[in-house]
Amino acid sequence: MTYTDFIAELDKAALTIRAFAGLVGMRPNSISNYASHGEGPTHLGLIAALLAELKKHEIPNEAALARAVPLAKRSRGRAKPGRFGGDPQEQLDLGR
């Protein structure tokens, strides 16, 4: 799905990027970054299309969305103390 089509589906579902990101457990910037690629992941497009269809038929989705609360994601790229960028290099002795 192209990013333009994705945004159109969000509009049909009456959702902002921020609201959609909250529903799927992502950061809004992560979703907006797909604009530079021109298309987004299929699973996000599918979710947006389904939410738009539910809205079109006036089917409430809050109960289903409440049951499917996404788990908080751990930040990627965090290094352990004393490690550089999570690189699996040998521990360096820096005269401690």
Side-chain angles (χ1 to χ4, degrees):
M1 175 180 283
T2 67
Y3 187 77
T4 306
D5 292 340
F6 171 72
I7 295 299
E9 293 294 336
L10 287 184
D11 287 342
K12 290 177 194 174
L15 290 171
T16 62
I17 291 176
R18 183 178 301 273
F20 181 77
L23 289 174
V24 297
M26 293 180 70
R27 298 190 194 295
N29 286 351
S30 296
I31 294 175
S32 296
N33 287 343
Y34 291 117
S36 64
H37 299 291
E39 60 183 50
T42 305
H43 67 283
L44 294 181
L46 177 62
I47 294 168
L50 290 173
L51 289 171
E53 198 66 22
L54 289 173
K55 182 75 170 178
K56 176 182 170 184
H57 294 287
E58 299 178 0
I59 300 172
N61 59 27
E62 290 79 16
L65 293 176
R67 288 193 311 265
V69 176
L71 299 174
K73 290 186 178 179
R74 173 176 75 87
S75 296
R76 294 186 296 168
R78 262 182 28 195
K80 294 179 183 177
R83 304 287 260 195
F84 177 73
D87 190 9
Q89 63 188 359
E90 298 280 329
Q91 183 68 30
L92 299 176
D93 181 22
L94 300 175
R96 294 186 210 186

